[in-house]
Amino acid sequence: MILAANFKANHTRESTASYLEALNLFLDAYQTSCDVRVFPAISSLFRDDLYSHIKLGAQNFYPAVSGAYTGEIGAQQLGEFGVKSVLIGHSERRVTLKETQEFIAKKFAFAKENGWEIIYCIGEPKDVRDNGFEAVMEYLWSEFDGVDIDYDRFCVAYEPIWAIGTGVSAKALDIAQVLDALKSRLHSTALLYGGSVNAENLSSIISLTSCGGALIGNAALDAANFCKLIQIAQNVQK
Ligand code: PEP
C-alpha cells in the first residue's frame, strides 16, 4: 500500500524539514507496512537517504539531464538529491501548465530510461464524468498515449480532476469501477486513488480490491494529519 503526500507549491524548506522530521519520528515508532512517499516543492527537496522511512520524490522535472531549460530541473539536479521517484501527468500540470500528452509521454520515457519510479496521474474533467463511465474510460485510456504501460516501475494514480482539492471525493463505487477497468489492461501495476482523500473516506477507498493506495494533497499537508492517515491505512491492511 502506497501513501503519497503531494505538497504542490506549499510549505517552505524550513517547514518541510520539520514535517519530514516529525513524520520520520512517527514512522520510527509506528510499524507500518505502508510505503510512505512525500513530494515536496523542488526548493524543499532533501537527500532521499536523509529520512529512513520516507521516500522523497519530485513533483516535476524536465526530460533532460541538464541544459538550456530556464526554470526547469533536470536529471543532474535530481541526482544530487538521490531522488528516483517522480510524479508525471498531474492534472495541474496538464491543465494549468498546459503539458501535452506528447510531452508527458516524453517525460515518462525519460524517467523510464533513468529507472525512476513513476506515479503516473490520470483523471477526467467533470464534463466527461457527466457523460458516463464509457466516456470516462475512453478519456483515461487516451492519457496513456505514448506511454509504455509495461514499464515495471510505475503505478497509476486515478485522480478525477473535479475531485482534486474540492473536498468532494469520487464515490467508492465509481472509483472501484474505474480501477477495475484499468486493472484489466494494466495487470500488475499498482493503482492509487487521489482526489479529496481524508480521514473520513480513506478506509472505504483503500479497502477497494483494486486500490493500492492514495495520493493525497490537502489532507497530507499537516504532518500529524498524514500520520493519522497512515494509521488508518495500516488498520485497513490488518
Ligand atoms: C493531488 O493533488 O494529487 C490531490 C489529490 O489533492 P487533494 O487531496 O487536495 O484533492
Side-chain angles (χ1 to χ4, degrees), residues 32-49:
T32 177
S33 48
C34 291
D35 280 335
V36 177
R37 279 114 213 251
V38 176
F39 293 84
I42 293 292
S43 58
S44 306
L45 269 178
F46 291 89
R47 276 207 57 88
D48 185 47
D49 50 12

Side-chain angles (χ1 to χ4, degrees), residues 6 8 90 92 159 163-166 194-197 215-219:
N6 177 15
K8 314 185 186 194
H90 194 286
E92 285 153 16
E159 302 202 302
I164 296 183
T166 59
S196 297
V197 166
L215 178 57
I216 307 160
N218 281 330

Side-chain angles (χ1 to χ4, degrees), residues 9-27:
N10 292 300
H11 277 299
T12 61
R13 189 165 179 79
E14 198 180 331
S15 67
T16 300
S18 312
Y19 180 109
L20 293 171
E21 264 154 46
L23 179 60
N24 206 50
L25 263 181
F26 166 79
L27 292 170

Side-chain angles (χ1 to χ4, degrees), residues 49-158:
D49 50 12
L50 196 56
Y51 301 98
S52 49
H53 303 290
I54 309 165
K55 188 179 263 186
L56 293 177
Q59 295 173 26
N60 185 41
F61 62 95
Y62 193 86
V65 174
S66 59
Y69 307 104
T70 302
E72 294 290 328
I73 182 166
Q76 188 179 50
Q77 290 78 41
L78 287 186
E80 206 170 18
F81 294 99
V83 163
K84 295 185 187 72
S85 181
V86 291
L87 290 184
I88 298 178
H90 194 286
S91 63
E92 285 153 16
R93 296 211 63 87
R94 290 181 190 264
V95 179
T96 314
L97 280 305
K98 308 272 182 284
E99 286 191 4
T100 62
Q101 184 58 33
E102 192 185 356
F103 184 63
I104 286 165
K106 209 167 151 184
K107 288 174 84 172
F108 191 102
F110 185 78
K112 180 187 152 191
E113 220 175 277
N114 283 278
W116 295 340
E117 177 200 77
I118 300 166
I119 296 187
Y120 187 71
C121 306
I122 57 168
E124 81 285 357
K126 182 78 171 70
D127 58 324
V128 173
R129 167 52 68 179
D130 290 343
N131 286 334
F133 174 67
E134 298 300 327
V136 169
M137 290 316 299
E138 191 183 332
Y139 188 93
L140 296 181
W141 288 126
S142 76
E143 294 194 314
F144 287 97
D145 282 355
V147 162
D148 176 9
I149 61 168
D150 292 324
Y151 181 46
D152 60 0
R153 300 210 65 219
F154 97 111
C155 56
V156 170
Y158 168 53

